[in-house]
């Protein structure tokens, strides 16, 4: 029987999201969600927006949310784009800004959605090796030979580039777009949004999914000079006019108003990250220095896949990537203090 698939779709290898098992009392440390609830004001705003107005389409330009984001990051509204999660925002950037005749450069160890979008949109990927410490070396991105994308902090390593290092990459590639995917920037990094006024080739993406505890709501954004944002708007308005629904709009605005709650959630995650890093090091793990809400670690004497299975046997799920160069590592999301205790107890039991 014919499958009716077009050849591009037939050749795709789609992204595999971290699993969402429905097991009671599970310690879920595999998808970098927040261990804390969304800010109380966010839930109030969603409840308040749940009314008859849901029969009406939302504002296709999401103007109030863009205004709130522009105020928060000291930008103008024409420098802000919002979408249904940053994965969608990234997809529009791939099609509108990163698809050219020349290959798109990104780290060999990086967000595994990038090669998937390359496949979907017919973009040639050029993978640039991380250095032996699993860091991005800005000198490997010279030459102005094509566009660039990387997460900062990088995923799944957690390593951070400084704004000086990002500036070097921007200056060395003036005729190509450089996308900095800041999904984890709120856990101790400095945002490249401050460089937007100076660099017409810089696009920064962020998300409400991690530091703002709203992965279930699907809200992401991009920041850049107006000509870059216009490209994203053109793609968006050729695809889906209403990616941000009324409830997401209300929640996003409320989240930006809950600064103290937000800062405290990030602080707790960073404190637990520090405690977990020290514990893992005591147990003999090599831990990559992390500025994200996860750590990337390997044990010289224990196989990562076996450790992941032994944790799973104890109802603790972490992320294991069966891929060259990183198949000895575990990526462990930072949980609540209680979840972290359960993780550490389980590891003590497993390692003896
Ligand atoms: C989680 C993540 C995203 C996607 O976030 P959503 O807004 O939930 O789509 C993008 N980039 C990286 C590096 C991520 O880890």
């Amino acid at each position: 029987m014919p499958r009716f698939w077009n050849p591009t779709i037939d050749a795709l290898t789609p992204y595999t999201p971290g699993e969402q098992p429905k097991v009671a009392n599970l310690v879920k440390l595999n998808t970098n969600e927040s261990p804390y609830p969304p800010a109380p004001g966010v839930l109030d705003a969603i409840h308040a927006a749940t009314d008859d107005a849901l029969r009406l389409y939302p504002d296709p330009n999401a103007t109030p949310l863009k205004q709130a984001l522009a105020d928060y990051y000291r930008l103008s509204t024409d420098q802000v784009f919002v979408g249904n999660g940053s994965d969608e925002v990234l997809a529009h950037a791939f099609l509108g800004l990163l698809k050219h005749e020349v290959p798109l450069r990104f780290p060999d160890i990086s967000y595994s959605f990038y090669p998937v979008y390359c496949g979907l949109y017919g973009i040639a990927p050029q993978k640039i090796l991380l250095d032996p410490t699993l860091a991005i070396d800005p000198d490997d991105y010279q030459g102005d030979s094509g566009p660039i994308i990387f997460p900062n902090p990088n995923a799944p390593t957690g390593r951070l580039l400084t704004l000086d290092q990002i500036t070097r990459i921007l200056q060395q590639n003036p005729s190509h777009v450089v996308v900095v995917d800041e999904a984890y920037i709120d856990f101790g990094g400095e945002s490249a949004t401050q460089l937007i006024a100076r660099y017409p080739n810089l696009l920064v993406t962020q998300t409400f999914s991690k530091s703002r505890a709203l992965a279930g709501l699907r809200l992401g954004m991009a920041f850049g000079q107006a000509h870059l944002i216009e490209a994203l708007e053109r793609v968006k308005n050729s695809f889906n006019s209403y990616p941000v629904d009324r409830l997401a709009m209300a929640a996003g605005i409320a989240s930006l108003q809950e600064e103290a709650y937000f800062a405290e959630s990030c602080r707790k995650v960073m404190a637990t990250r520090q405690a977990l890093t020290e514990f893992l090091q005591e147990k003999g793990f090599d831990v990559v220095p992390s500025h994200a809400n996860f750590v990337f670690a390997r044990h010289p004497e224990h196989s990562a896949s076996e450790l992941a299975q032994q944790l799973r046997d104890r109802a603790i799920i972490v992320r294991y990537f069966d891929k060259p160069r990183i198949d000895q590592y575990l990526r462990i999301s930072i949980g609540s203090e209680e979840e972290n205790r359960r993780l550490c107890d389980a590891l003590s039991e497993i390692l003896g």
Side-chain angles (χ1 to χ4, degrees), residues 90 98 104-107 109-111 114 130 136 141 148-155 161-162 165-167 169-170 178-183 202-203 205:
L90 287 167
L98 302 179
L104 170 64
R105 292 175 284 170
F106 52 87
I109 298 165
S110 183
Y111 188 34
Y114 302 157
L130 294 183
I136 292 173
Y141 291 80
I148 294 169
I149 184 167
F150 56 87
N152 194 49
N154 195 9
L161 289 184
T162 64
Q165 290 175 305
I166 290 175
T167 300
I169 295 174
L170 289 163
V178 176
V179 176
V180 183
D181 176 351
E182 292 189 338
L202 169 62
L203 188 80
T205 62

Side-chain angles (χ1 to χ4, degrees), residues 14-242:
Y15 179 73
T16 317
E19 54 184 325
Q20 300 283 356
K22 302 199 173 34
V23 176
N25 213 14
L26 184 73
V27 177
K28 195 176 166 307
L29 305 176
N30 66 329
T31 51
N32 301 339
E33 289 140 327
S34 174
Y36 304 112
V42 170
L43 300 182
D44 292 345
I46 293 171
H47 290 138
T50 305
D51 63 17
D52 290 356
L54 282 177
R55 74 192 169 79
L56 302 172
Y57 283 109
D59 175 354
N61 296 316
T63 310
L65 176 58
K66 281 186 187 170
Q67 185 65 59
L69 284 164
D71 292 346
Y72 193 90
Y73 287 102
R74 298 168 198 277
L75 298 166
S76 55
T77 50
D78 63 359
Q79 296 176 318
V80 179
F81 179 82
V82 291
N84 189 258
S86 65
D87 284 339
E88 184 187 80
V89 174
L90 287 167
H92 292 348
F94 271 69
L95 182 58
L97 296 168
L98 302 179
K99 179 180 163 80
H100 290 284
E101 291 304 308
V102 288
L104 170 64
R105 292 175 284 170
F106 52 87
D108 64 323
I109 298 165
S110 183
Y111 188 34
S112 35
F113 228 128
Y114 302 157
V116 174
Y117 288 136
C118 284
L120 180 61
Y121 293 124
I123 300 167
Q126 182 185 349
K127 296 192 181 178
I128 312 278
L129 292 188
L130 294 183
D131 80 7
T133 69
L134 298 187
I136 292 173
D137 182 347
D139 290 338
D140 294 336
Y141 291 80
Q142 296 175 353
D144 205 12
S145 65
I148 294 169
I149 184 167
F150 56 87
N152 194 49
N154 195 9
T157 66
R159 275 191 177 276
L160 181 77
L161 289 184
T162 64
L163 288 189
D164 281 348
Q165 290 175 305
I166 290 175
T167 300
R168 279 231 300 290
I169 295 174
L170 289 163
Q171 287 175 341
Q172 283 163 353
N173 297 279
S175 47
H176 293 95
V177 170
V178 176
V179 176
V180 183
D181 176 351
E182 292 189 338
Y184 302 103
I185 197 64
D186 298 324
F187 302 106
E190 224 185 329
S191 174
T193 48
Q194 347 175 355
L195 303 176
I196 283 171
R198 270 181 287 154
Y199 295 98
N201 57 334
L202 169 62
L203 188 80
V204 178
T205 62
Q206 289 193 5
T207 176
F208 282 75
S209 295
K210 315 289 175 34
S211 57
R212 293 186 181 275
L214 290 169
L217 191 81
R218 312 308 303 132
L219 197 52
M221 57 278 208
F223 308 108
Q225 290 188 13
H227 59 275
L228 299 182
I229 299 305
E230 193 182 339
L232 301 180
E233 297 290 355
R234 289 173 69 94
V235 177
K236 173 238 167 200
N237 288 318
S238 307
F239 179 73
N240 177 3
S241 306
Y242 308 106

Side-chain angles (χ1 to χ4, degrees), residues 276-309:
L276 177 59
T277 300
E278 285 165 16
F279 171 85
L280 291 172
Q281 286 170 338
E282 274 165 31
K283 289 287 170 192
F285 281 88
D286 299 326
V287 185
V288 180
S290 172
H291 281 81
N293 65 344
F294 55 82
V295 295
F296 201 51
R298 72 172 162 195
H299 198 291
E301 288 134 34
H302 293 268
S303 114
S305 69
E306 277 171 34
L307 282 176
Q309 185 55 50

